[in-house]
Amino acid sequence: GDSVTQMEGPVTLSEEAFLTINCTYTATGYPSLFWYVQYPGEGLQLLLKATKADDKGSNKGFEATYRKETTSFHLEKGSVQVSDSAVYFCALSLPDGQNFVFGPGTRLSVLP
Amino acid sequence: SQTIHQWPATLVQPVGSPLSLECTVEGTSNPNLYWYRQAAGRGLQLLFYSVGIGQISSEVPQNLSASRPQDRQFILSSKKLLLSDSGFYLCAWSSGTNRPEQFFGPGTRLTVL
């Protein structure tokens, strides 16, 4: 079946370090791919998305590129801040527009 | 612009009591609606989704139920809560194939004692 796999963490980094959170997927057809961020006690916020192969989504210094050949959508940021501490979820949406699959989430802690 | 509301924000209920959580969406019509549960420190579990009024699909068997009495209203209910129902309940909406991303409400923190 369709699934999303991501490193579960926790990931602990120092401020200004480079961030990579790996995400790979298995899906039939051509899904859209997303990264969501969840701050403590809050709902999920859409961080970025990509809807077709080789698209790059970007927002707030975060980037991810839709790699069809490796079925991956890794999240990167060049210099993390303490305020980036949160849980990050990779997700896919199937072309039927109804089914959404989330990864297990990766907790990121950024230390000053 | 579209907004999604959930209430209450927090709830503490005794075991065996009933439950009603409400979610409403503004600024869009005929959305797909979703209920998720998130246990402490865990990922998201899809409970129910709805593509229209009165149309509910259940993803997991449980003592919870969902209803969609109006186009932009989605209600999660239980007749008798269990301890295992504690968690963070999230409602989400999407517009379907043209714009596949889901948008989430602020969540309801439910504690069953």
Side-chain angles (χ1 to χ4, degrees):
Chain A
D2 306 300
S3 66
V4 174
T5 302
Q6 61 179 111
M7 48 196 297
E8 294 201 26
V11 174
T12 303
L13 296 173
S14 298
E15 202 165 24
E16 300 184 1
F18 184 85
L19 169 71
T20 300
I21 300 178
N22 290 336
C23 171
T24 57
Y25 68 90
T26 302
T28 53
Y30 301 96
S32 296
L33 302 174
F34 308 89
W35 278 100
Y36 284 82
V37 58
Q38 184 180 31
Y39 299 103
E42 299 183 8
L44 277 69
Q45 300 177 25
L46 179 64
L47 182 59
L48 52 85
K49 69 177 182 181
T51 57
K52 61 182 187 296
D54 300 324
D55 269 1
K56 177 186 284 188
S58 61
N59 186 25
K60 300 181 180 179
F62 291 90
E63 294 183 339
T65 301
Y66 190 143
R67 301 290 188 197
K68 187 172 183 292
E69 63 276 14
T70 55
T71 62
S72 65
F73 193 54
H74 305 320
L75 182 68
E76 297 182 337
K77 186 175 185 182
S79 176
V80 293
Q81 305 300 313
V82 173
S83 57
D84 294 326
S85 298
V87 180
Y88 292 82
F89 291 92
C90 186
L92 67 82
S93 174
L94 298 176
D96 63 6
Q98 296 177 13
N99 289 297
F100 220 85
V101 180
F102 283 90
T106 300
R107 182 174 300 279
L108 170 66
S109 295
V110 181
L111 305 178
Chain B
S1 64
Q2 301 88 8
T3 55
I4 178 169
H5 304 278
Q6 287 187 245
W7 63 88
T10 60
L11 191 59
V12 180
Q13 292 284 96
V15 169
S17 64
L19 173 73
S20 181
L21 303 181
E22 188 166 344
C23 170
T24 58
V25 180
E26 296 177 355
T28 188
S29 58
N30 196 31
N32 295 332
L33 296 172
Y34 308 82
W35 278 114
Y36 291 88
R37 177 169 58 202
Q38 187 177 28
R42 305 289 295 276
L44 297 169
Q45 179 187 30
L46 178 63
L47 301 175
F48 301 95
Y49 70 92
S50 171
V51 300
I53 295 174
Q55 301 178 60
I56 309 294
S57 296
S58 175
E59 290 295 301
V60 293
Q62 58 207 320
N63 70 321
L64 299 172
S65 62
S67 62
R68 184 169 177 174
Q70 300 180 41
D71 181 44
R72 288 168 289 176
Q73 184 184 32
F74 204 24
I75 297 173
L76 183 69
S77 303
S78 175
K79 293 182 179 178
K80 289 186 177 182
L81 283 168
L82 306 173
L83 287 174
S84 58
D85 291 325
S86 293
F88 193 48
Y89 287 82
L90 290 160
C91 182
W93 73 273
S94 72
S95 61
T97 55
N98 290 334
R99 196 178 176 194
E101 58 265 40
Q102 291 187 1
F103 298 94
F104 285 79
T108 294
R109 174 76 57 193
L110 171 66
T111 303
V112 182
L113 301 176

